[in-house]
Amino acid sequence: MGQDMAVFRGGVAVITGAGSGIGEGLARLAAQQGMRVVLADVALDRAEQVAEEVRAGGAEALAVHTDVAEPEALDRLAAVTHETFGDVTLLVNNAGIETLGYVWELPAALWEKTLNVNIHGAIHGVRAFAPRMLEAGKRAWIANTSSIGGLGIMPIQTSYVLSKHAILSFSECLYLEMQVKKAPIHVSAILPGPVATRIFEDSKTGEDPVNARHREIMRNMLKSDGITGFEAAERILPQIAEGRFWVSTHPETTREFANNRARHLSELSAPSLPPEVLAGLGVG
Ligand SMILES: NC(=O)c1ccc[n+]([C@@H]2O[C@H](COP(=O)([O-])OP(=O)(O)OC[C@H]3O[C@@H](n4cnc5c(N)ncnc54)[C@H](O)[C@@H]3O)[C@@H](O)[C@H]2O)c1
């Protein structure tokens, strides 16, 4: 597997949300592949802890406090990365949060936060980093973390799901923009399946009891079925290195979700969910 990622050796990786879960796994693996890594996270203590361990392993690492919901924070991240390590080889816009609640139930501020982190975080990551990457003219990679949920639908997780759909179309259009520019920059969309991370521990919910119940189901599902953040990284990073657009941790599930979505759209059928999922939501 290491062989596949040889293109990254000696390069610079910037990972947002690198203080936990998938981002942490990606940062650790990128360092093991001989990259210098920038770990950006709103939780600086966790990012710093991972950076210290990465440095103890012999790699160069820099933790940077970054709230991806703030466009200026991503400008600062790009500037400090460039000053410290030079040209960026790999940018992963990975930071994301879960929010559960009916559309009408979530306060406006929670809607704003969810969309700012999950959608605008990736947009402004690209806006802040791409100009220097394009100017450098070197082969480089940008990957945006969506989800298999980006190919599905789920009530109660509406704000999250729509943000992950947005990341897919954002990444698809960005891929084409790099082609229009004839830029040597690969673009990937990462669609993780279940990964056992802290995402549901940190999630915010609306007041209705259905939210807490749904969060519990999701949290238990990640605990029982989820791979580790590092295992996810081991599946993700070689696919990015290969220049694949669709990057998956659970290829069969991704294909199943894609097929269901394609069928639903081609038939223009009304939205529906499998009975067992509806039962979990207390429907039927
Ligand atoms: N865990 C899964 O099963 C799963 C499945 C599909 C997609 N994803 C996606 O993977 C990505 C990583 O999630 P994870 O599961 O590793 O979660 P996680 O909660 O373990 O890690 C996310 C990290 O992002 C950081 N973060 C949160 N808000 C931030 C902000 N405003 N600015 C900077 N950093 C911020 C958190 O502090 C945390 O360290 C997310 O985009 C998530 O939507 C996860």
Side-chain angles (χ1 to χ4, degrees):
M1 183 180 288
Q3 195 65 10
D4 302 336
M5 295 183 277
V7 287
F8 290 144
R9 187 158 298 280
V12 175
V14 181
I15 321 279
T16 68
S20 172
I22 298 170
E24 175 183 342
L26 286 168
R28 288 184 190 278
L29 184 59
Q32 284 180 14
Q33 299 308 310
M35 301 191 88
R36 288 161 287 160
V37 293
V38 177
L39 300 99
D41 205 296
V42 75
L44 182 60
D45 53 342
R46 283 206 304 271
E48 194 55 76
Q49 175 68 36
V50 180
E52 257 176 52
E53 290 171 22
V54 164
R55 283 193 289 265
E60 287 184 69
L62 176 72
V64 183
H65 177 266
T66 311
D67 182 350
V68 302
E70 292 176 9
E72 308 75 30
L74 288 156
D75 290 323
R76 288 195 295 274
L77 178 67
V80 81
T81 299
H82 208 255
E83 280 158 26
T84 312
F85 289 142
D87 295 328
V88 170
T89 315
L90 168 67
L91 167 68
V92 188
N93 293 302
N94 167 77
I97 57 172
E98 268 280 3
T99 304
L100 299 99
Y102 291 108
V103 169
W104 55 91
E105 185 193 15
L106 297 181
L110 196 46
W111 264 106
E112 291 292 308
K113 181 168 183 194
T114 308
L115 303 185
N116 282 340
V117 174
N118 289 6
I119 303 179
H120 296 156
I123 293 172
H124 291 291
V126 173
R127 183 194 54 71
F129 278 90
R132 287 189 188 86
M133 293 171 87
L134 287 163
E135 200 185 316
K138 296 177 185 168
R139 194 169 177 213
W141 289 259
I142 296 175
N144 302 313
T145 306
S146 173
S147 166
I148 50 169
L151 295 168
I153 46 174
M154 181 61 76
I156 316 295
Q157 278 181 265
T158 308
S159 60
Y160 180 81
V161 167
L162 79 85
S163 73
K164 295 304 180 180
H165 278 246
I167 289 297
L168 290 185
S169 53
F170 171 63
S171 303
E172 288 174 280
C173 293
L174 179 65
Y175 178 97
L176 293 176
E177 289 191 5
M178 291 304 173
Q179 292 202 331
V180 173
K181 293 294 282 182
K182 298 188 172 57
I185 301 181
H186 303 272
V187 175
S188 302
I190 308 171
L191 295 88
V195 184
T197 70
R198 57 183 298 131
I199 194 160
F200 281 100
E201 320 299 326
D202 288 352
S203 63
K204 301 274 185 298
T205 68
E207 296 289 321
D208 192 293
V210 75
N211 301 325
R213 216 166 49 231
H214 188 53
R215 174 160 78 172
E216 213 40 41
I217 289 170
M218 295 303 292
R219 189 155 54 182
N220 291 339
M221 190 272 284
L222 290 196
K223 267 195 196 139
S224 59
D225 299 353
I227 57 175
T228 68
F230 192 77
E231 284 169 336
E234 286 182 311
R235 297 180 188 188
I236 289 167
L237 208 55
Q239 296 175 55
I240 297 176
E242 237 179 77
R244 283 206 212 170
F245 178 79
W246 303 97
V247 170
S248 179
T249 59
H250 298 70
E252 280 177 22
T253 316
T254 307
R255 191 157 290 282
E256 191 187 322
F257 271 62
N259 286 341
N260 286 345
R261 186 82 187 141
R263 193 165 44 247
H264 166 59
L265 292 177
S266 67
E267 291 170 3
L268 294 178
S269 52
S272 66
L273 287 172
E276 65 276 14
V277 178
L278 288 171
L281 291 164
V283 180

